[in-house]
Amino acid sequence: MRALLALFIGVHVYGAATFITKEEYAASLYHNPRGIGCQMCHGESGEGRRIAQYKHKGEKKIFEGKPINKIPFSLFYHAVNSKIVGMPRYYLTDTEIQTLYYYLHREEFKRAAAKRRKSH
Ligand code: HEC
């Protein structure tokens, strides 16, 4: 996990000539990833969200977007690159997927970075 954190904090997702912060870029990508925003199905912070509840052949069915803010990066990466029933296919780049993961874990990353700064 430590190595992973270092990897993410080290990632430069924008060039020197951009005027938005990493936070703003990550937030905008989460809400507008060249398709339906992730928050529509997974909630504002990736906490998961019930999309619909209906009855099928008398049975109660629930359609929901799972929580995605507590899963390891490997699972997140694999899932976003796969065909998932009920989820649009996005064809995101590796940097975009890393940015989305950063967005969902930004507080943890910031805390880890602050801790590292302190210990130097
Ligand atoms: C239209 C609804 C919808 C949207 C929009 C959507 N998803 Fe999903 N997503 C789903 C559904 C449904 C699943 C499968 C849930 C299940 O298996 O129970 C899923 C599964 C996932 C999983 C796998 C979770 C796990 O534990 O296996 C990840 C990661 C994920 N989505 C990330 C994203 C990201 C990132 C975005 C935005 C780029 C996004 N999703 C947008 C509906 C959506």
Side-chain angles (χ1 to χ4, degrees):
M1 192 61 194
R2 258 213 144 131
L4 199 65
L5 286 175
L7 174 78
F8 279 109
I9 290 156
V11 160
H12 293 284
V13 289
Y14 44 85
T18 0
F19 297 101
I20 58 167
T21 65
K22 180 173 179 168
E23 304 293 298
E24 286 165 344
Y25 172 61
S28 76
L29 194 61
Y30 186 75
H31 292 98
N32 191 10
R34 285 188 264 113
I36 311 171
C38 316
Q39 81 284 359
M40 299 294 278
C41 297
H42 295 288
E44 250 334 290
S45 321
E47 73 278 15
R49 188 172 166 190
R50 182 166 296 183
I51 303 159
Q53 193 174 312
Y54 56 95
K55 267 196 173 157
H56 180 67
K57 295 185 178 157
E59 239 181 84
K60 201 167 124 184
K61 300 268 185 189
I62 293 169
F63 177 54
E64 60 188 356
K66 276 187 182 175
I68 54 167
N69 59 0
K70 299 241 164 27
I71 58 176
F73 180 69
S74 53
L75 182 66
F76 184 84
Y77 183 87
H78 181 77
V80 172
N81 271 325
S82 329
K83 224 175 144 193
I84 297 179
V85 177
M87 174 164 149
R89 192 92 202 258
Y90 288 98
Y91 303 100
L92 298 164
T93 65
D94 285 1
T95 304
E96 285 170 332
I97 297 171
Q98 287 169 353
T99 303
L100 289 169
Y101 195 78
Y102 169 83
Y103 180 71
L104 296 171
H105 297 268
R106 59 198 183 283
E107 296 310 323
E108 289 155 62
F109 287 134
K110 277 193 265 182
R111 267 199 304 277
K115 216 168 151 188
R116 256 206 315 282
R117 270 198 302 278
K118 248 189 187 164
S119 68
H120 281 300

